[in-house]
Amino acid sequence: QQQVKQSPQSLIVQKGGISIINCAYENTAFDYFPWYQQFPGKGPALLIAIRPDVSEKKEGRFTISFNKSAKQFSLHIMDSQPGDSATYFCAASSKETSGSRLTFGEGTQLTVNP
Amino acid sequence: KAGVTQTPRYLIKTRGQQVTLSCSPISGHRSVSWYQQTPGQGLQFLFEYFSETQRNKGNFPGRFSGRQFSNSRSEMNVSTLELGDSALYLCASSLVLGVNEQFFGPGTRLTVL
């Protein structure tokens, strides 16, 4: 019940296109859903996060869509750029049951072709 | 403001040895979490420390341990190293316990031969 399932495993998008990565969870106690971006040789960097009281959050070209009833959330990258090529991880945590502990998805390797 | 720093960045050890990794959180952050990242298992939570006490623990054997000092700096130790312990070990800091927003360091790449 602690798992977070992420898809696709890899994604190739043309420059200017929209990248969409999906995640699903089972634990209804999760109350925080961040997305991290990781470049080779670096640690994950917090990109954007959402809480279950809103259905969408947008920051620049990055948007999280959240569907509480379906227990799913997704990351949309608009106008994808080659510099966005990285591995993206969704995660979830429950402040009440597990403190700051993050449960991560398996990761999506995004390649944006010029 | 400086980010999370981890030392050393790279480490090579042999089976049976032990290793200690260090993490300095963002200034003012008092909670430190450790994660293991491998190609096969992904990112897995090891433990979380706050006020020098372990507050949360993942599903790892007792060979993995940690501690936190009064200045919030943290160390993790792995004893009797196994080949499968080869991984990127990441430290993340947050303001206080239970604050979800976590910031990661660059990691320590451990190779066990």
Side-chain angles (χ1 to χ4, degrees), chain B residues 21-89:
Chain B
L21 313 181
S22 180
C23 170
S24 292
I26 292 171
S27 177
H29 283 199
R30 294 166 55 200
S31 177
V32 173
S33 298
W34 288 89
Y35 293 81
Q36 181 195 63
Q37 185 175 24
T38 60
Q41 299 298 316
L43 278 150
Q44 292 190 293
F45 173 81
L46 280 155
F47 27 65
E48 178 180 17
Y49 284 86
F50 177 75
S51 288
E52 302 175 62
T53 303
Q54 187 180 95
R55 304 293 180 148
N56 218 335
K57 190 177 190 306
N59 234 9
F60 280 82
R63 300 185 297 106
F64 292 82
S65 63
R67 59 177 176 167
Q68 186 180 36
F69 302 94
S70 58
N71 61 359
S72 297
R73 192 177 69 83
S74 176
E75 288 181 348
M76 69 163 280
N77 184 79
V78 188
S79 63
T80 319
L81 284 166
E82 301 177 0
L83 294 179
D85 296 334
S86 293
L88 182 66
Y89 289 90

Side-chain angles (χ1 to χ4, degrees), chain A residues 32 36 38 93 98 100 102, chain B residues 35 37 48 56 99-100 102:
Chain A
Y32 176 73
Y36 283 85
Q38 186 176 29
S93 71
S98 56
S100 303
L102 290 167
Chain B
Y35 293 81
Q37 185 175 24
E48 178 180 17
N56 218 335
V99 169
N100 306 117
Q102 290 187 59

